[in-house]
Amino acid sequence: MSFLVEENPAKRRFEILVDDALAGFTAYQPRGGLLVFTHTEVDQRYRGMGVGAALVRGTLDQLRERGDRLVPKCPFVAAFIERHPEYADLVVAEP
């Protein structure tokens, strides 16, 4: 199984493809140079397979590369960052 995480700016979300099929996304709202993550969804067929974690990890890695910061309003993104404190430096308090 191969994962690919890529941004879809037109839909304001990062998407994960599993073997070239859309398996989930994490949605954001741009706000003053930050991305406020509001919702994450994984297709039922891919739940319990680590797809959600791969999606958030791939998203956060891309944000780090770009020098972006985020506000994790989405409970799934917030919980992932709590479990992986190496990403805590990307988080800012909501303005």
Side-chain angles (χ1 to χ4, degrees):
M1 199 165 34
S2 67
F3 297 146
L4 173 65
V5 176
E6 54 190 11
E7 187 174 12
N8 182 336
K11 292 188 176 182
R12 293 184 173 167
R13 66 189 197 178
F14 283 81
E15 300 172 339
I16 187 164
L17 303 176
V18 175
D19 297 331
D20 297 324
L22 180 64
F25 65 87
T26 185
Y28 63 82
Q29 292 294 321
R31 188 178 301 158
L34 300 171
L35 297 181
V36 179
F37 282 83
T38 57
H39 179 71
T40 301
E41 201 170 297
V42 173
D43 188 288
Q44 194 142 359
R45 294 174 295 171
Y46 298 101
R47 291 188 185 158
M49 300 168 64
V51 171
L55 167 61
V56 175
R57 183 181 309 279
T59 297
L60 296 175
D61 287 344
Q62 289 181 44
L63 294 182
R64 174 168 279 139
E65 286 175 24
R66 297 187 332 206
D68 286 346
R69 308 289 292 279
L70 73 132
V71 176
K73 286 270 208 176
C74 168
F76 189 85
V77 173
F80 181 91
I81 292 169
E82 276 186 35
R83 287 191 314 273
H84 299 89
E86 65 270 23
Y87 293 107
D89 61 309
L90 300 176
V91 175
V92 295
E94 189 165 14

